Amino acid sequence: MNIDKFTITSYDQITGFDRTNGSLDMILDELSDFTLSHEEEKTDITGKGGRVISSLKKNKKVTGKGTNGMLSGGALAAMLGAEIEDGKHIIRYTDAITVTENKGITKEVATGTIGNEISTIYVRDTNNAYISGGKKLTQTGAEPATGEFSYDPETKEITFFEGDITDGTEVIAFYDAEVEGKKISNDSNNYSKTLQVFIDVTCQDGCDNLFHGQFIIDRADFNGTFDVAGGSDPATLGFEFTSMPNLCTGKSQLWDFVLFD
Amino acid sequence: MENRKSLLNLSSVDILPNLSIRIPTVGEILENEDSYYSIVSSLTATPFQYMVQLDDMGIDYTKITDYELFKILFPMYAKSNLSILFGDLNTSDFDVYINKQDDSQVIYSPSNDIIIDELAYNDLANIIRKINLLDKVNSKPGNESARKYLLEKERKKQKRNAKKKKEPYLEKMVIALVNTNEFPYDYDSCMDLSIYRFNQSFKQIQHKISFDNTMIGVYAGTVDTSKLSNKDALSWIPNK
């Protein structure tokens, strides 16, 4: 391909790898926009009559900034300085339970101190309020008295005091439950990561021929300032990194670009 | 094509003596716009646009021509109802036959005695593109690594799009235009417009809005015309 005449038609994918062990840390492949910005400071050196006789160039800087249409766990972890943990995690579960014959069944197994796994069950009042109004039942490890309930985690069964709750009433419980999943922790002691980044692009020459190209950034220092906004529009992930030379290997490149032949 | 009448004044365009392409109305297309645009995109497709499907069939999309792709797709579509484009013509027996004159493969219908050779195909595809404001996709990979890369990228894109709900394109356009000051038709009268007229109106209105906004900027002093890369925005009559 003639590298003197081409355009980048799309930024397709950004992959980030751990610089120590080379493992894949993130993939951003729904890029809605991306810009690789270049900066350089140039100070004129003037001579007789104020004429410019030379220039001093310094402070070269490359930053990559863009938005991925979808949140990426790996990218979040890179920007938070976190690791993704796969396994069992405790979450807070909201459970609406229908009472039948003074009994109810939780959807998940409530965990915590034995005899206080659920702690409180909320019963709505006539206005359907259960925070500002309604009734609160407390958990007991013994036989429930009025205003109390007991819970058996083995069978997930809740037992109410006879006559406290009429049949068909929906009560609400909030309890801790164990789920299988992936966890990212935003630790205040950890900061955003520096990854080895590869940016795949599609290029086009003047004759509509398409080519594959790739930017290689040895040290991309991710910025930990970002928003995860949601609402009427789906959450997107804005990201930013600064390219730095690899001092360990003595390489001073801020990036390499390879256009595949 | 150069000597043809303006499509603004036609309800069908002759391709061969006994083969013509209808220019359907907006109302006709809205009867089943999914089907219409599926037919249109298939009959005008280039191998680049069908790279994944061709690869699944074991065909290298860089090795076949537009006409060869048409010879694969058209006989499949011809069995279905193509009256929206071909009118009363019975298309069910269009298939690939050997042209005895030069031993080449052509699309032929014995019942209609119509041969769609490469020349006729180009004419047909170009007319359908023109009617529907479609540009021919001329892109092609520059080398083998680009071919594989683009194929992989397109496969991933199609896999993701398969899960997405299809948006009604023409319906959205009709709603947008009917509720635009510059469009002089209402929902009812717009249904009788040919799709070519409708598309041309859309193109002109889009250009006029862009021109008006540019001119507001010019008069307000916020737009410097010398820095405009698209000088076409300085005239309300588009150059192309």
Side-chain angles (χ1 to χ4, degrees), chain B residues 152-162 164:
Chain B
E152 204 179 304
K153 195 170 100 170
E154 185 63 20
R155 195 178 284 283
K156 201 194 281 183
K157 191 173 148 192
Q158 286 192 8
K159 205 172 161 187
R160 285 192 179 159
N161 286 345
K164 288 182 189 164

Side-chain angles (χ1 to χ4, degrees), chain A residues 83-125:
Chain A
E83 298 301 329
I84 298 175
E85 292 171 45
D86 197 354
K88 289 181 175 169
H89 307 288
I90 300 292
I91 53 107
R92 181 57 54 91
Y93 195 83
T94 303
D95 203 346
I97 302 154
T98 305
V99 179
T100 314
E101 294 175 355
N102 302 311
K103 303 271 185 196
I105 303 286
T106 59
K107 291 186 185 68
E108 302 290 331
V109 177
T111 58
T113 312
I114 295 168
N116 194 34
E117 294 93 344
I118 298 175
S119 177
T120 308
I121 282 182
Y122 300 83
V123 186
R124 289 188 177 96
D125 65 11

Side-chain angles (χ1 to χ4, degrees), chain A residues 18-20 26 44 68 77 90 104 111-112 117 120 126 136 163 203 243 259-260:
Chain A
D18 186 299
R19 295 185 61 251
T20 318
M26 63 159 213
D44 288 340
N68 197 51
I90 300 292
T111 58
E117 294 93 344
T120 308
T126 48
K136 294 178 181 70
C203 307
S243 172
L259 201 52
F260 298 15

Side-chain angles (χ1 to χ4, degrees), chain A residues 222-239:
Chain A
F222 277 82
N223 194 336
T225 304
F226 65 99
D227 296 319
V228 179
S232 55
D233 292 325
T236 57
L237 183 66
F239 60 92

Side-chain angles (χ1 to χ4, degrees), chain A residues 35-215:
Chain A
T35 310
L36 205 55
S37 307
H38 299 74
E39 290 173 43
E40 180 185 82
E41 259 181 51
K42 187 178 164 190
T43 311
D44 288 340
I45 298 170
T46 52
K48 191 169 69 179
R51 64 187 177 180
V52 178
I53 53 173
S54 186
S55 61
L56 178 70
K57 294 174 186 173
K58 58 178 182 177
N59 295 344
K60 205 166 173 182
K61 189 180 175 189
V62 170
T63 49
K65 192 177 182 182
T67 309
N68 197 51
M70 298 177 96
L71 296 178
S72 153
L76 276 174
M79 293 195 286
L80 297 170
E83 298 301 329
I84 298 175
E85 292 171 45
D86 197 354
K88 289 181 175 169
H89 307 288
I90 300 292
I91 53 107
R92 181 57 54 91
Y93 195 83
T94 303
D95 203 346
I97 302 154
T98 305
V99 179
T100 314
E101 294 175 355
N102 302 311
K103 303 271 185 196
I105 303 286
T106 59
K107 291 186 185 68
E108 302 290 331
V109 177
T111 58
T113 312
I114 295 168
N116 194 34
E117 294 93 344
I118 298 175
S119 177
T120 308
I121 282 182
Y122 300 83
V123 186
R124 289 188 177 96
D125 65 11
T126 48
N127 297 317
N128 278 333
Y130 56 93
I131 299 175
S132 53
K135 201 160 67 171
K136 294 178 181 70
L137 308 177
T138 50
Q139 188 174 349
T140 174
E143 194 66 26
T146 182
E148 291 180 339
F149 68 92
S150 63
Y151 180 63
D152 180 359
E154 293 284 319
T155 58
K156 300 197 282 185
E157 189 178 74
I158 299 168
T159 307
F160 299 94
F161 179 72
E162 197 172 334
D164 253 7
I165 312 288
T166 52
D167 273 7
T169 305
E170 195 180 69
V171 297
I172 296 121
F174 301 88
Y175 53 82
D176 286 345
E178 196 176 64
V179 293
E180 289 273 355
K182 292 169 182 66
K183 185 172 85 170
I184 304 171
S185 298
N186 188 359
D187 189 325
S188 60
N189 287 322
N190 291 344
Y191 294 92
S192 51
K193 294 181 191 175
T194 301
L195 302 176
Q196 187 183 25
V197 160
F198 298 87
I199 305 165
D200 288 294
V201 297
T202 303
C203 307
Q204 187 171 332
D205 68 9
C207 304
D208 296 329
N209 293 310
L210 298 173
F211 295 87
H212 180 195
Q214 192 176 70
F215 286 95

Side-chain angles (χ1 to χ4, degrees), chain A residues 12 29-30 202 210 260-261, chain B residues 140 142-143 149 153 160:
Chain A
D12 302 325
D29 60 356
E30 286 291 346
T202 303
L210 298 173
F260 298 15
D261 267 336
Chain B
K140 53 193 177 296
N143 54 34
Y149 176 70
K153 195 170 100 170
R160 285 192 179 159

